[in-house]
Amino acid sequence: MGAWDTDPYRSLGFDENSRFGAVGMLNFLLKIFLASALISLAIKYGGPLLHLPATSLMAGLIIFSVPLAMTAFLSWRWLTLE
């Protein structure tokens, strides 16, 4: 089995009965909305507590940390599927 043989819907929490159903899609969209709202609140209320210096180095680290983390996570997942 290769990396493309896995079912992407099962990893998102869908089962065979709700794969393309309206209830399954609504559930998925509500999860995304809730996660987005929690991240937004964490940035709004937790951000000022960090006391980060306003430098271009810090801005670059913040901007590039998310893509680097996603690259590391997806690479690790890809390597474990083979």
Side-chain angles (χ1 to χ4, degrees), residues 5-80:
D5 294 336
T6 60
D7 188 6
Y9 297 102
R10 186 171 298 281
S11 65
L12 292 174
F14 295 124
D15 60 358
E16 291 81 13
N17 297 329
S18 64
R19 181 174 285 187
F20 294 108
V23 175
M25 187 57 66
L26 183 61
N27 187 17
F28 177 69
L29 291 175
L30 287 174
K31 288 179 186 178
I32 297 295
F33 178 75
L34 181 64
S36 175
L38 290 175
I39 291 170
S40 176
L41 289 173
I43 290 171
K44 181 176 182 179
Y45 295 113
L49 300 175
L50 293 177
H51 304 294
L52 297 174
T55 62
S56 58
L57 175 66
M58 188 59 62
L61 289 174
I62 291 170
I63 289 170
F64 289 114
S65 64
V66 174
L68 288 175
M70 286 301 295
T71 302
F73 173 72
L74 292 174
S75 298
W76 169 76
R77 184 172 174 185
W78 182 69
L79 289 173
T80 58

